Amino acid sequence: MELNTLTNQTIALAGIAQVAVLVQQLATTGTCDEEAMKASIGSVLKIDSDSVADIYGGLGGLKLGLDQLNGQIAGNKAPNPEQARYAAATVFLEKKLSDHKDMLNTIQIGIVKAQAQSEQYGLLHGNVLANLGDLYHSTISTLQPRIMVNGEQSYLSRPDIASKIRALLLAGVRSALLWRQCGGSRWKFIFYRKKIQSELQYLITQI
């Protein structure tokens, strides 16, 4: 599987964008798009895959992220500063995480445990989300600057929602890793915006 393609970079970017949307949905409403969440959480547990799209269970699992990213780049949707901040922070933290080999090892062990749990209970079971949330909290969340999620305190203070948000942030870092593995970079995002937009529009037609 060739990783370094514009298609794969665009898919990974959509994965980052999707997590940002889901985190904001949970923080402000207490609920989120369940199918999109299933695809994003599933991407954390998918170690071996035939394609980058398959990491998310196919392009359909990334519809929310593809639509959101396309709207932002095309200018059809008003910029959302919170989502932009979450997306940028996951990319930054992934780069920092790459220097912490012990932490990466801890995350790998935790993901294997979560894989076993998901096979027993189901992907979005509370035990699986709590395990992934705790894994994020004990590892990536210790890196600076921490991602501060803004929303309604009545939702943010609930343990189940906190676990979902942390598990999704872990998924965001996973997509950021994928973006880098596929040859993505900040400069590429700036200079290839029109090409990325064209690719987004093509991928949306394939869903």
Side-chain angles (χ1 to χ4, degrees):
M1 175 175 68
E2 185 186 354
L3 284 176
N4 195 344
T5 68
L6 184 64
T7 298
N8 288 342
Q9 291 161 17
T10 305
I11 290 170
L13 273 177
I16 297 170
Q18 181 156 295
V19 161
V21 176
L22 292 170
V23 167
Q24 188 176 47
Q25 286 179 349
L26 282 168
T28 56
T29 70
T31 61
C32 69
D33 184 318
E34 190 165 306
E35 286 305 307
M37 182 176 179
K38 190 179 291 184
S40 292
I41 297 297
S43 72
V44 179
L45 304 183
K46 196 89 176 230
I47 305 299
D48 298 312
S49 185
D50 294 330
S51 69
V52 171
D54 186 53
I55 290 171
Y56 300 95
L59 285 176
L62 276 178
K63 185 178 188 308
L64 177 67
L66 289 166
D67 285 342
Q68 184 68 17
L69 190 59
N70 183 53
Q72 295 282 358
I73 293 179
N76 298 331
K77 293 185 179 181
N80 188 303
E82 287 297 315
Q83 290 178 20
R85 185 169 62 82
Y86 299 150
T90 55
V91 172
F92 182 79
L93 285 176
E94 187 281 321
K95 195 172 181 182
K96 266 199 155 184
L97 178 63
S98 64
D99 295 327
H100 294 261
K101 304 305 179 188
D102 290 347
M103 193 176 287
L104 282 166
N105 189 50
T106 299
I107 291 171
Q108 186 175 14
I109 292 168
I111 286 172
V112 170
K113 180 183 174 184
Q115 280 177 318
Q117 281 184 319
S118 70
E119 289 170 8
Q120 183 177 357
Y121 299 114
L123 184 59
L124 297 186
H125 190 274
N127 288 356
V128 177
L129 294 171
N131 184 29
L132 290 174
D134 288 344
L135 184 60
Y136 173 86
H137 187 60
S138 63
T139 56
I140 298 168
S141 183
T142 65
L143 300 175
Q144 296 297 326
R146 292 178 61 185
I147 300 177
M148 303 303 292
V149 175
N150 294 325
E152 295 293 330
Q153 196 55 41
S154 58
Y155 299 129
L156 294 173
S157 60
R158 281 173 46 183
D160 60 324
I161 291 179
S163 289
K164 288 178 182 178
I165 288 173
R166 288 168 179 162
L168 281 167
L169 290 174
L170 183 62
V173 173
R174 162 67 166 136
S175 289
L177 169 63
L178 195 59
W179 158 249
R180 186 164 58 84
Q181 287 175 329
C182 293
S185 67
R186 185 180 177 185
W187 294 111
K188 187 158 282 187
F189 182 67
I190 292 170
F191 291 116
Y192 283 65
R193 282 176 73 91
K194 284 192 174 180
K195 288 185 177 180
I196 290 171
Q197 185 183 351
S198 296
E199 189 64 30
L200 280 166
Q201 291 169 346
Y202 170 74
L203 291 172
I204 289 169
T205 67
Q206 300 304 300
I207 297 174

